[in-house]
Amino acid sequence: MLSSLGQKLARELEFPAQVNEGFFYGRIGDFPVCIHELPNRQLLLCLAAKPGPAGGEQPEKEELRRLLPAGRQLSVTEVKPFEWRIAVAERSFTKTLLLLQELFRALQETLTDLGFVPCCARCGAQEELSIYQCGERMAVFCSGCAAEAEEKLGQAAVQVQQKKTSLGKGILGAVIGAALGGVVWVLIYRLGYIAALGGLALVFGALKGYELLGGRLDKKGAAASVAVSVLMMFAAMMVSYGWELYDIYAADGFTFLDCVMAAPTAVFHFPDVGASFAMECVIGLLFIGLGGFSTIRAAYRKHNPSFAFRKLL
């Protein structure tokens, strides 16, 4: 997913954006360029180029680095036979935009000075070049390489769709995983807090448990994992309240299990206790949302990557 900063940069640069896939694209002079937004707050610029008839050889990484703007926010990550990859650290919108504009100018001058020409990132062909969406990335391909990439992507899509899943086993795994997360929740509660970390532990445990026993995480699996996380939060809250009752009544001979079993009665029959429980559950649900949304999205996309293939530019 392209962040709000990435979307704003794309608009300012007048580059079309694929928001769900997390990239934008355009041209630097005659050269098609693809910019991916990475999870570590970096932009990865990919540019396909090779020496022209009057050009020399592809520069080494350090040589190319000396030709580009200096600064810790920019690094040449890879130089392939037909492609350059340059990482740009995201900062504020203004600083990132200025750095990208400076990089674009330097790249255009460098490509001109070196006598380079646009080419296919895979085979180096100069004819019929276009930017293609290839699943969750972009690439500059000639028509022949584009056809090969589309075929391979289609085969990968079939393999993913054929991977077996089991909703029943997945739910069992989610319950086991969420129970471990529930232990974290109770321990945090005993310290006097309700924290987003507890919500993250519940969701993460449920998702991992579902993946281990149920296989690929599909929409049903994601929904089941969320439902199990919420139910486990209520159970963890009941255990936490039961533990507080045990602190009070242990001296009277009541066991820990007795107090946990009595917790629902205390919650539903005493208005003050019920109001406190309801408020803390609402806070807990908010923390599950805050701690779990990005985790669920990342896990789902990991198991259900995009297999779209189309010409963009």
Side-chain angles (χ1 to χ4, degrees):
M1 178 71 71
L2 195 61
S3 68
S4 57
L5 173 61
Q7 295 178 51
K8 193 174 179 181
L9 289 169
R11 287 194 298 269
E12 187 66 27
L13 294 168
E14 298 183 351
F15 277 20
Q18 297 295 116
V19 176
N20 290 334
E21 286 74 19
F23 55 72
F24 49 101
Y25 56 95
R27 293 184 185 275
I28 299 176
D30 295 330
F31 294 84
V33 61
C34 313
I35 301 177
H36 300 260
E37 189 171 47
L38 305 180
N40 59 351
R41 291 186 57 80
Q42 282 190 324
L43 300 172
L44 182 64
L45 183 148
C46 302
L47 182 147
K50 71 174 185 177
E57 298 180 350
Q58 281 280 20
E60 298 292 334
K61 284 176 62 174
E62 288 304 315
E63 181 184 355
L64 179 58
R65 180 68 187 86
R66 288 193 294 271
L67 296 171
L68 299 178
R72 289 180 298 176
Q73 286 74 35
L74 187 150
S75 61
V76 178
T77 61
E78 193 171 11
V79 177
K80 295 183 176 182
F82 307 116
E83 187 179 39
W84 298 352
R85 294 188 175 188
I86 302 167
V88 179
E90 289 185 341
R91 296 184 291 174
S92 67
F93 167 73
T94 302
K95 290 181 179 179
T96 307
L97 177 63
L98 291 175
L99 183 58
L100 283 176
Q101 291 173 334
E102 185 180 1
L103 175 61
F104 287 4
R105 287 191 295 268
L107 281 172
Q108 191 163 6
E109 292 174 3
T110 299
L111 290 164
T112 301
D113 293 343
L114 294 177
F116 275 43
V117 295
C119 69
C120 172
R122 177 177 290 183
C123 72
Q126 294 179 242
E127 297 77 21
E128 300 179 321
L129 299 178
S130 297
I131 294 180
Y132 291 87
Q133 177 184 350
C134 187
E136 297 187 336
R137 69 183 186 92
M138 293 182 294
V140 178
F141 288 142
C142 63
S143 57
C145 288
E148 292 180 15
E150 184 175 16
E151 181 179 358
K152 289 183 178 179
L153 196 65
Q155 293 171 353
V158 171
Q159 291 176 357
V160 169
Q161 294 301 321
Q162 289 178 342
K163 187 175 180 180
K164 293 183 179 180
T165 61
S166 173
L167 181 61
K169 291 181 179 179
I171 291 176
L172 176 61
V175 170
I176 295 171
L180 296 175
V183 172
V184 175
W185 181 284
V186 172
L187 293 176
I188 292 174
Y189 189 90
R190 288 292 294 175
L191 295 174
Y193 301 100
I194 301 176
L197 177 62
L200 178 60
L202 285 168
V203 174
F204 182 81
L207 290 172
K208 284 300 178 183
Y210 190 97
E211 292 174 24
L212 289 173
L213 296 187
R216 182 172 65 89
L217 184 71
D218 52 15
K219 290 182 179 179
K220 290 182 180 179
S225 297
V226 172
V228 168
S229 300
V230 172
L231 292 175
M232 195 60 67
M233 182 208 71
F234 285 107
M237 287 294 297
M238 285 297 181
V239 172
S240 299
Y241 271 56
W243 200 336
E244 290 187 344
L245 290 174
Y246 180 71
D247 291 338
I248 298 171
Y249 295 108
D252 296 331
F254 290 95
T255 66
F256 182 80
L257 182 59
D258 291 334
C259 293
V260 171
M261 296 297 291
T265 301
V267 167
F268 291 110
H269 286 79
F270 296 94
D272 291 345
V273 177
S276 175
F277 182 86
M279 179 60 68
E280 290 180 340
C281 284
V282 169
I283 295 173
L285 290 173
L286 290 175
F287 280 142
I288 285 179
L290 291 173
F293 177 74
S294 59
T295 302
I296 295 168
R297 183 178 64 183
Y300 182 79
R301 292 194 65 175
K302 173 187 173 184
H303 289 269
N304 301 273
S306 171
F307 293 104
F309 189 92
R310 56 178 172 154
K311 182 189 290 188
L312 298 173
L313 180 65

